[in-house]
C-alpha cells in the first residue's frame, strides 16, 4: 500500500505568513494527489487536485505543486479563515496523509 | 446543486451490524464513482471504500476488508455501507463522497457525515 507522510504535523503561523506543507508518497503516484481543508464539525473541502489544479471557487492564495513522490501545498498569505487542518490524498489507493494542523 | 445526505448512524454494540445510506441528488448518480471516508474522534481522515459507477468494482481499506461491504442502487441514487463485526475502533463520523469527475482524482463533494458509535 502507498503511504503518505505529511510534514509538519503542526504548524504555528500568523496572518499574512506564507505557509508550505509537504506530502511525501512511498512510491511514484505521478500527479494523482489532492489536497483538502478540514474545519471542526464540517466536511472536508477540496482545494487542489491533480497535484496543482485549483478547485473552482478556491482562493488563488492556495497552490499545489509536485509530482512523483513529493508534493507541496502553499498558502501565499495566510488569512484568518485558513486556520484549519490540511490533508493530502493519493489516488492510486485513496489513502490520506495524517494531516497538518495550522494554528495561530 | 450536488447534495449527499448520509443516514443510518447510531449506537451499536461491539460485534453488531449497521447499514449506512447516502442519498445523492443534483447530479447523475450512476455516472460517478462513490466513496466512504471516516474520521474517528480526534483523528485524521481514513479512506474506507470505493465503488465504481456500475457497482461492479470495489476496493476496501485493510482495516475493514472482510467486514464492510459497499454497494449502490443507481435507480434510487443511493450508496450503502454494510458494516458487520463492528469494533470500538470503528467509532467515527462516516462521510460519503463523490469523485470530482469521471476520473477518480479527487473527492469533490462530501456529505455532512453520520456518527457511528460502537460501544457496550
Amino acid at each position: 500500500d502507498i503511504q503518505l507522510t505529511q510534514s509538519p504535523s503542526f504548524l504555528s503561523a500568523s496572518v499574512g505568513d506564507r505557509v508550505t506543507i509537504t506530502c511525501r508518497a512511498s512510491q511514484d503516484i505521478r500527479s494523482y494527489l489532492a489536497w483538502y481543508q478540514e474545519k471542526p464539525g464540517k466536511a472536508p473541502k477540496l482545494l487542489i487536485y491533480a497535484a496543482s489544479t485549483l478547485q473552482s471557487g478556491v482562493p488563488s492564495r492556495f497552490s499545489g505543486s509536485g509530482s512523483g513522490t513529493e508534493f507541496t501545498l502553499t498558502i501565499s498569505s495566510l488569512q484568518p479563515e485558513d486556520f484549519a487542518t490540511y490533508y493530502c490524498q493519493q489516488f492510486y489507493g485513496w489513502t490520506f496523509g495524517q494531516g497538518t494542523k495550522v494554528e495561530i | 446543486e450536488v447534495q449527499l445526505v448520509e443516514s443510518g448512524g447510531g449506537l451499536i454494540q461491539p460485534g453488531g451490524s449497521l447499514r449506512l445510506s447516502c442519498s445523492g441528488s443534483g447530479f447523475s448518480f450512476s455516472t460517478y464513482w462513490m466513496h466512504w471516508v471516516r474520521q474517528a474522534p480526534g483523528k485524521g481522515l481514513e479512506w474506507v471504500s470505493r465503488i465504481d459507477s456500475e457497482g461492479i468494482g470495489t476496493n476496501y481499506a485493510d482495516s475493514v476488508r472482510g467486514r464492510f461491504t459497499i454497494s449502490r442502487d443507481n435507480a434510487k441514487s443511493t450508496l450503502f455501507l454494510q458494516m458487520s463485526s463492528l469494533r470500538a475502533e470503528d467509532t467515527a463520523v462516516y462521510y460519503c463522497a463523490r469523485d470530482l469527475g469521471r476520473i477518480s482524482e479527487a473527492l469533490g463533494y462530501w456529505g455532512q457525515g453520520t456518527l457511528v458509535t460502537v460501544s457496550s
Side-chain angles (χ1 to χ4, degrees):
Chain A
D1 290 359
I2 298 173
Q3 309 298 322
L4 294 180
T5 303
Q6 287 182 233
S7 60
S9 295
F10 296 92
L11 189 159
S12 293
S14 300
V15 173
D17 283 354
R18 181 181 181 88
V19 167
T20 299
I21 299 169
T22 298
C23 179
R24 289 187 172 87
S26 59
Q27 61 191 76
D28 188 349
I29 57 170
R30 298 165 63 187
S31 294
Y32 288 98
L33 188 101
W35 290 96
Y36 303 88
Q37 178 190 68
E38 188 211 21
K39 295 182 178 180
K42 292 193 172 183
K45 173 187 175 183
L46 175 65
L47 300 175
I48 302 281
Y49 64 96
S52 60
T53 303
L54 193 68
Q55 167 67 341
S56 175
V58 174
S60 59
R61 62 180 179 272
F62 291 91
S63 64
S65 65
S67 67
T69 61
E70 186 152 338
F71 303 85
T72 59
L73 172 70
T74 299
I75 309 172
S76 60
S77 177
L78 201 63
Q79 298 302 298
E81 60 269 31
D82 300 336
F83 291 96
T85 302
Y86 294 85
Y87 294 91
C88 56
Q89 182 189 22
Q90 57 89 7
F91 278 78
Y92 268 60
W94 303 284
T95 53
F96 288 91
Q98 82 278 15
T100 295
K101 187 173 184 179
V102 178
E103 302 174 309
I104 299 173
Chain B
E1 178 190 5
V2 173
Q3 284 199 319
L4 298 169
V5 179
E6 301 95 338
S7 60
L11 176 63
I12 186 77
Q13 291 190 338
S17 298
L18 204 60
R19 188 175 84 156
L20 305 183
S21 300
C22 170
S23 177
S25 61
F27 66 101
S28 176
F29 187 83
S30 62
T31 300
Y32 296 91
W33 289 18
M34 298 293 295
H35 301 250
W36 288 99
V37 175
R38 68 185 182 183
Q39 185 170 38
K43 303 295 185 181
L45 300 174
E46 180 186 16
W47 175 81
V48 172
S49 182
R50 74 92 189 170
I51 187 167
D52 66 15
S53 57
E54 297 176 343
I56 297 173
T58 59
N59 292 89
Y60 298 91
D62 289 345
S63 58
V64 307
R65 188 175 293 115
R67 300 187 298 121
F68 289 12
T69 301
I70 190 171
S71 62
R72 65 192 296 163
D73 183 340
N74 284 341
K76 295 183 178 179
S77 298
T78 304
L79 174 72
F80 302 102
L81 185 68
Q82 179 68 47
M83 305 184 294
S84 61
S85 302
L86 283 162
R87 308 165 180 167
E89 55 264 36
D90 296 317
T91 294
V93 173
Y94 285 74
Y95 295 100
C96 70
R98 196 204 89 177
D99 272 331
L100 179 64
R102 297 294 299 274
I103 298 173
S104 187
E105 59 180 352
L107 302 183
Y109 301 91
W110 297 66
Q112 84 288 352
T114 188
L115 176 62
V116 173
T117 303
V118 183
S119 175
S120 56

